[in-house]
């Protein structure tokens, strides 16, 4: 048993170290991209995407210094949130069905994928029942891709207007997932489009400080275009197989 204990601790240490090294590399890349955009690295918040990863990997990431974890699905997140309760923030970055809104309100600190008035109303109702105020970002389908979730750019303003009557929701910015293109530079126009939309809305009086955009493949370009939140999984946790 003693030999098994030593082996388990050693193996666990190696896994933590692997995440620690990858996290450090990502942090350096964030810092360099932020510098290129004339901002400090503190202006960019990392969301470590733990979707499909086991609870053990989440513990390892937190031990390595991760402060915010992102999940795509409410049900998958449940076990992980309970296992890491109170240690890190949890952000929902995937599409949210209205019938999962109650559970999402109970589990997550921030929803990146608000994309309809109906969903806003459900989140607001459940947040009121829970006695809490929920941070949200409006997801925008900047590429107008039929297979992707997100509000059309023309629908963002009406959606924001609808949230005025939902004091339990605090809309803090916009999120997008651009079309996947082999060259990260090809995503730049889509990130710029989201930033321009945010800037137009802010000129009308909306306070939308956050832009959630950029993943492992293209986060440096996203930062150069103004991202304040980047959602990175593979570069931290390794391949999902």
């Amino acid at each position: 048993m003693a030999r098994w204990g030593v082996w388990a601790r050693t193996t666990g240490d190696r896994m933590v170290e692997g995440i620690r090294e990858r996290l450090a590399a990502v942090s350096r890349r964030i810092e360099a991209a932020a510098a290129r955009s004339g901002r400090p690295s503190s202006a960019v918040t990392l969301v470590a995407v733990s979707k499909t990863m086991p609870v053990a990997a989440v513990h390892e990431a937190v031990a390595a210094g991760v402060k915010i974890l992102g999940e795509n699905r409410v049900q998958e997140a449940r076990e992980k949130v309970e296992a890491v309760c109170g240690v890190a923030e949890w952000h929902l970055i995937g599409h949210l069905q209205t019938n999962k809104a109650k559970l999402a309100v109970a589990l997550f600190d921030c929803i990146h994928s608000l994309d309809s008035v109906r969903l806003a109303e459900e989140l607001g109702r459940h947040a009121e029942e829970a006695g809490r105020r929920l941070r949200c970002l409006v997801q925008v389908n900047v590429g107008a891709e039929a297979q992707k979730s997100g509000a059309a750019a023309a629908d963002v303003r009406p959606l924001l207007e609808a949230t005025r009557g939902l004091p339990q929701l605090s809309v803090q910015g916009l999120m997008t997932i651009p079309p996947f293109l082999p060259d990260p530079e090809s995503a730049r126009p889509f990130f710029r489009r989201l930033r321009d939309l945010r800037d137009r809305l802010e000129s009308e009086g909306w306070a939308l400080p956050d832009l959630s955009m950029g993943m492992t493949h293209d986060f440096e370009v996203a930062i150069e275009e103004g991202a304040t939140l980047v959602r990175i999984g593979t570069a931290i946790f390794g391949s999902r197989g």
Side-chain angles (χ1 to χ4, degrees):
M1 289 296 294
R3 290 181 62 189
W4 163 256
V6 170
W7 179 87
R9 286 195 301 273
T10 303
T11 302
D13 287 346
R14 284 202 301 269
M15 293 177 71
V16 171
E17 187 61 30
I19 288 178
R20 191 180 304 277
E21 291 173 353
R22 290 192 291 270
L23 181 62
V26 166
S27 297
R28 289 192 295 270
R29 291 169 65 186
I30 288 173
E31 184 174 356
R36 289 194 295 273
S37 69
R39 295 184 294 157
S41 59
S42 59
V44 182
T45 298
L46 170 65
V47 179
V49 179
S50 53
K51 67 176 184 179
T52 76
M53 292 292 149
V55 169
V58 173
H59 280 300
E60 290 156 10
V62 171
V66 164
K67 304 297 183 187
I68 302 176
L69 291 148
E71 284 286 328
N72 269 36
R73 295 183 173 86
V74 176
Q75 292 289 2
E76 181 187 340
R78 191 173 194 168
E79 179 186 3
K80 299 175 193 177
V81 173
E82 291 172 354
V84 193
C85 181
V87 179
E89 275 195 12
W90 288 90
H91 290 202
L92 180 65
I93 62 173
H95 176 63
L96 176 61
Q97 297 174 314
T98 54
N99 64 353
K100 300 289 198 314
K102 182 176 182 178
L103 184 54
V105 167
L107 294 176
F108 293 97
D109 299 285
C110 183
I111 308 292
H112 288 226
S113 49
L114 175 61
D115 61 1
S116 71
V117 173
R118 185 181 174 211
L119 179 57
E121 291 171 345
E122 284 296 297
L123 289 171
R125 180 167 68 86
H126 292 301
E128 183 176 24
E129 291 171 354
R132 62 170 301 199
R133 197 157 190 254
L134 181 67
R135 289 149 43 210
C136 298
L137 304 172
V138 172
Q139 182 176 354
V140 186
N141 188 346
V142 292
E145 296 175 274
Q147 73 275 22
K148 279 187 180 172
S149 303
D155 294 331
V156 173
R157 190 176 288 98
L159 176 51
L160 290 172
E161 291 285 357
T163 65
R164 288 189 190 276
L166 300 168
Q168 298 79 20
L169 299 187
S170 175
V171 180
Q172 300 189 335
L174 307 178
M175 182 271 255
T176 199
I177 304 171
F180 181 85
L181 299 163
D183 180 5
E185 269 298 320
S186 299
R188 189 179 296 275
F190 298 98
F191 295 140
R192 190 168 295 168
R193 196 174 300 170
L194 189 74
R195 187 194 67 204
D196 289 345
L197 174 61
R198 189 278 307 274
D199 291 349
R200 288 197 302 274
L201 291 166
E202 288 204 321
S203 72
E204 298 171 9
W206 296 98
L208 301 167
D210 282 325
L211 290 176
S212 172
M213 54 189 197
M215 296 182 283
T216 289
H217 178 62
D218 54 18
F219 73 88
E220 287 153 306
V221 174
I223 291 170
E224 292 170 3
E225 291 300 326
T228 65
L229 292 148
V230 290
R231 311 177 304 270
I232 302 175
T234 303
I236 294 170
F237 290 100
S239 175
R240 290 177 166 81

